[in-house]
Amino acid sequence: MSLPIRNVAIIAHVDHGKTTLVDALLKQAGTFREGEDIPDCVMDSNDLERERGITILSKNTAVRYQDTLINIVDTPGHADFGGEVERVLGMVDGCLLIVDANEGPMPQTRFVLKKALEKGLRPIVFVNKIDRPQATPHIAIDKVLDLFLELGADDDQCDFPYLFGSGLSGFAKATLEEDSEDMRPLFEALLKLVPPPAGDPDKPLQIQVTTLDYSDYLGRIVIGKIHNGTIQAGQQAALMREDGSIVKAKVSKLLGFEGLRRIELETAAAGNLVAIAGFADANIGETITDPNDPQALPLIKVDEPTLSMN
Ligand code: GDP
């Protein structure tokens, strides 16, 4: 059950096509797999499409390409969510920067990109909507490079890999001249260019609480990355609070991501992103850890206000 993993954040200014692109990846990931039922993705009304869009952006999404699980996490684009952006970027080893081929980088692109560069991530740039007649992909790429330079990206970051494509038409390609009918080049780029997550499954458990969710059935759900160790459904674990105190609780449910759904897991190891029920009063930034060898992860600083970025 332990698949190779890639964790990638997705960055884009509003309307540059994040939802549509992730939807294309979801739909196509199924078609590249053999002998498996894929959920019916056909949308038959605008309402359904809207609802699906909200779901895609508000939840972690995971696609499987060949044998690799690619966890895709959304990053809020607004400066009000500065702290959340940092936490999300702490879960990933790469990011996909989507830029509208006509508009080029916009303020939200800039805000999140700055954070990603500061984290040392090497973004993959996706120049989107090239199906539109007015698209100017080369100008968009030049503007992206200008932005990287302005934001103080290092040489490696400035030598960013890029692809062109259209989430709406469902294709990606490395050059404008090339023919492509699907997202395969983007999947391949994610596998090749996003490093696999670090972390040691044999070390004491450490999961940083990054997002909170709630279900009527399970109560508070903690979402985060397993930085080290291995977690089992039903095990006792310790929650290490900001003040250093420890609360013990049972992992009543362990969930992983698959498409837009969460699937129940028996066990999950370092590198993966999981959702956990059982920690009724966990807070963002705290660490779920081994009760016999509790070790906190460093709290992620929240450097608000970030108003200057707007
Ligand atoms: P988000 O705000 O970044 O999630 O953007 P959406 O995915 O909701 O897309 C915003 C608008 O751009 C919608 O009307 C989409 O249909 C349209 N759009 C997204 N991707 C493409 C594309 O590749 N080509 C064209 N022509 N339109 C697109």
Side-chain angles (χ1 to χ4, degrees):
M1 167 65 222
S2 191
L3 299 169
I5 292 173
R6 298 291 185 278
N7 295 323
V8 62
I10 194 152
I11 297 176
H13 189 75
V14 64
D15 277 348
H16 281 197
K18 187 152 63 168
T19 311
T20 308
L21 186 98
V22 172
D23 200 21
L25 292 177
L26 282 164
K27 286 177 185 165
Q28 292 191 21
T31 64
F32 298 138
R33 285 153 71 186
E34 282 170 24
E36 276 193 56
D37 279 347
I38 58 159
D40 185 6
C41 292
V42 179
M43 291 171 234
D44 54 14
S45 78
N46 282 339
D47 278 352
L48 191 59
E49 182 159 8
R50 208 168 299 123
E51 194 178 297
R52 190 172 158 83
I54 291 164
T55 310
I56 287 172
L57 286 186
S58 65
K59 297 241 158 74
N60 286 35
T61 311
V63 295
R64 245 201 270 173
Y65 181 69
Q66 293 165 347
D67 275 339
T68 304
L69 179 71
I70 307 171
N71 284 308
I72 301 171
V73 294
D74 185 32
T75 43
H78 199 271
D80 286 353
F81 299 105
E84 192 178 338
V85 170
E86 304 225 341
R87 286 190 294 272
V88 166
L89 294 176
M91 295 203 291
V92 300
D93 308 285
C95 63
L96 183 66
L97 175 68
I98 301 174
V99 178
D100 181 307
N102 189 42
E103 282 197 333
M106 296 292 277
Q108 291 170 19
T109 321
R110 179 196 172 89
F111 166 69
V112 190
L113 177 61
K114 180 167 190 283
K115 301 265 180 205
L117 294 172
E118 283 167 3
K119 282 254 173 210
L121 297 173
R122 183 169 182 245
I124 301 168
V125 175
F126 188 87
V127 179
N128 195 25
K129 307 197 190 184
I130 66 160
D131 57 299
R132 293 168 80 203
Q134 69 272 45
T136 50
H138 285 302
I139 297 176
I141 279 282
D142 287 349
K143 286 189 187 161
V144 171
L145 178 58
D146 288 347
L147 180 60
F148 272 62
L149 291 167
E150 194 192 318
L151 294 175
D154 64 30
D155 289 351
D156 193 39
Q157 289 170 325
C158 284
D159 187 24
F160 52 83
Y162 57 87
L163 296 102
F164 301 100
S166 164
L168 193 64
S169 311
F171 71 86
K173 52 192 188 178
T175 65
L176 286 171
E177 295 72 36
E178 179 175 313
D179 277 335
S180 169
E181 291 182 348
D182 58 38
M183 284 290 180
R184 221 177 283 238
L186 178 56
F187 282 111
E188 296 287 344
L190 293 174
L191 258 52
K192 198 171 109 201
L193 300 169
V194 177
D200 184 344
D202 298 322
K203 278 193 174 168
L205 181 67
Q206 288 182 304
I207 298 173
Q208 187 137 50
V209 180
T210 300
T211 318
L212 297 175
D213 196 5
Y214 182 83
S215 113
D216 286 341
Y217 169 54
L218 296 171
R220 182 171 291 196
I221 297 169
V222 161
I223 297 170
K225 178 184 177 185
I226 310 175
H227 285 265
N228 280 305
T230 302
I231 184 168
Q232 317 276 346
Q235 80 164 76
Q236 286 289 326
L239 176 71
M240 212 154 170
R241 321 229 56 153
E242 205 170 338
D243 62 6
S245 63
I246 287 179
V247 185
K248 292 195 181 169
K250 184 178 150 191
V251 176
S252 61
K253 204 69 122 191
L254 178 65
L255 303 161
F257 302 96
E258 169 102 48
L260 292 172
R261 291 169 308 158
R262 292 180 187 167
I263 49 163
E264 209 167 328
L265 301 177
E266 286 288 310
T267 178
N272 210 348
L273 310 186
V274 287
I276 300 165
F279 293 82
D281 55 359
N283 293 310
I284 284 173
E286 295 172 343
T287 307
I288 292 179
T289 180
D290 184 340
N292 301 315
D293 190 3
Q295 299 187 19
L297 287 159
L299 273 173
I300 298 176
K301 303 186 296 307
V302 179
D303 63 345
E304 270 111 350
T306 39
L307 299 175
S308 59
M309 286 315 302
N310 254 332

